[in-house]
Amino acid sequence: CGGSISDSSGMVQSPYYPGSYPNNADCEWEIQVESNFRVTLTFRDIAMQSSTCQHDYIEVYDGPRRSSPLLGRLCSGSFPTFVSSSNMMTIRFHSDSGGSFRGFQAHYSSIPADHNTTLQCLPDYMHAVVSRDYLQSQGYSAQMVTLNDNRCRPTITSQEVVFNIPYDGCGTIREENNDTINYSNTIRVSSSGHIIKRKKNINLHISCKMLQKTWMQVMYTAEDTVDVNEYQFGRYDMNITFYDSPAFSRQVRSSPYFIDLNQNLYLQACLHSSDPNLKVFVDTCVASPDPRDFNTLAYDIVRNGCPRDSSYATFYSPSSHFARFKFNAFEFISRHPSVYLKCELMVCRLGDYSSHCYRGCTGRAKRDTSPAEEKVDVVVGPIRRREGAAQSGNTT
């Protein structure tokens, strides 16, 4: 139960609904809709163990669970509606070892946010947009809008003022604490040059925070104006590519990738980010003949940083944004003529030696040791056995 949901609308319900939910369940759904939209969640049915919410309950969070406010805890009674302040909301369902009931069903949808100001935290820069109609309503022109570093000028269109602000330039400030990496800047709107100011200056404070599982984006207005709060969530941009040798000099561009039965595969995971202080680690890689099912016929290559296939090995990488590794295709390609790989990649702070990226294989994955970690799933393939490749006596 649980998982990541990205559709614009849909249904969330307890396991086996409308049948009885299981004991000792702990499910978490992360709903993430388009940037600059909000999530609205309405409960249609709630039938649980008690009215005190001590044993079985539903929790609704205004973003990622570990770093966002709790909007409500439910177990019975009325059917409320919740609206997020961002494009993300988390629902958690918990049951204990006691009796079980029908559970819950809820419907969610996305609604447009206020579009006077919008913000997206992209891999290499913050994309901030201010509506010219909004500026005009406050008595300002587009030419009055500047950044901390006024050498970084916006693009002005007929309707918008657009800033593409790098994470490592234009006056962007980088701060770290125990659980976030925060990139911040300020867009200033001022009527400078006037001896008597009839209008207050507007400061649009922009912030992109890397949390345990997301980028959180914040944009708000200060100094005696109507506050504008924009919270957006996104994911790291990651990909995996095949190479034809351990030199990692020539990328394999053909798809499907045809290989021989006993061939070594060389792969490189890459994080696309302008922040140099991040590190990539290959946590888990699983092979399967079905790109939608990595459980039924799965073959583990590495799990929780621990090699499960004896041919798995890692290579030195010239950048912390790369992770290079290899394994032999024999064990799984001998059973299935076509397979896919699903790899779970982890991003940590560079130099954070308590993180999973540095601890590597721990036997059993520890969680919450270093909160500034994010996991990203990447599926690649298909990999196919070359026609005529010897079966080496294996007929399965």
Side-chain angles (χ1 to χ4, degrees), residues 235-348:
R235 301 288 180 186
Y236 277 119
D237 184 13
M238 305 265 273
N239 72 337
I240 290 180
T241 50
F242 292 101
Y243 283 80
D244 66 355
S245 77
F248 290 91
S249 57
R250 239 191 351 239
Q251 184 179 331
V252 176
R253 300 188 181 278
S254 58
S255 181
Y257 180 18
F258 288 95
I259 63 169
D260 294 319
L261 187 60
N262 208 33
Q263 183 174 331
N264 282 327
L265 300 182
Y266 301 95
L267 299 92
Q268 176 176 275
C270 177
L271 165 68
H272 300 281
S273 172
S274 62
D275 183 358
N277 297 295
L278 299 174
K279 179 178 175 63
V280 175
F281 176 71
V282 180
D283 181 78
T284 298
C285 265
V286 180
S288 168
D290 185 347
R292 298 169 300 278
D293 180 1
F294 285 89
N295 295 310
T296 308
L297 293 173
Y299 177 78
D300 282 359
I301 298 161
V302 57
R303 185 167 289 277
N304 297 328
C306 302
R308 296 292 183 89
D309 185 293
S310 60
S311 68
Y312 178 84
T314 58
F315 291 87
Y316 166 78
S317 172
S319 165
S320 63
H321 284 196
F322 297 152
R324 292 175 170 178
F325 58 104
K326 71 99 176 175
F327 51 87
N328 192 285
F330 175 77
E331 284 296 336
F332 55 85
I333 207 73
S334 63
R335 306 173 193 175
H336 309 287
S338 179
V339 298
Y340 294 80
L341 297 177
K342 180 179 180 180
C343 294
E344 196 171 52
L345 308 172
M346 182 166 278
V347 183
C348 311

Side-chain angles (χ1 to χ4, degrees), residues 91-107:
I91 304 164
R92 182 189 178 209
F93 168 71
H94 174 81
S95 66
D96 67 2
S97 57
S100 66
F101 292 79
R102 189 169 65 244
F104 78 92
Q105 185 182 70
H107 179 266

Side-chain angles (χ1 to χ4, degrees), residues 357-378:
C357 296
Y358 286 91
R359 296 196 322 271
C361 176
T362 55
R364 186 176 177 184
K366 295 180 181 177
R367 292 291 173 260
D368 301 327
T369 302
S370 178
E373 298 175 353
E374 178 184 346
K375 283 193 169 184
V376 181
D377 286 343
V378 179

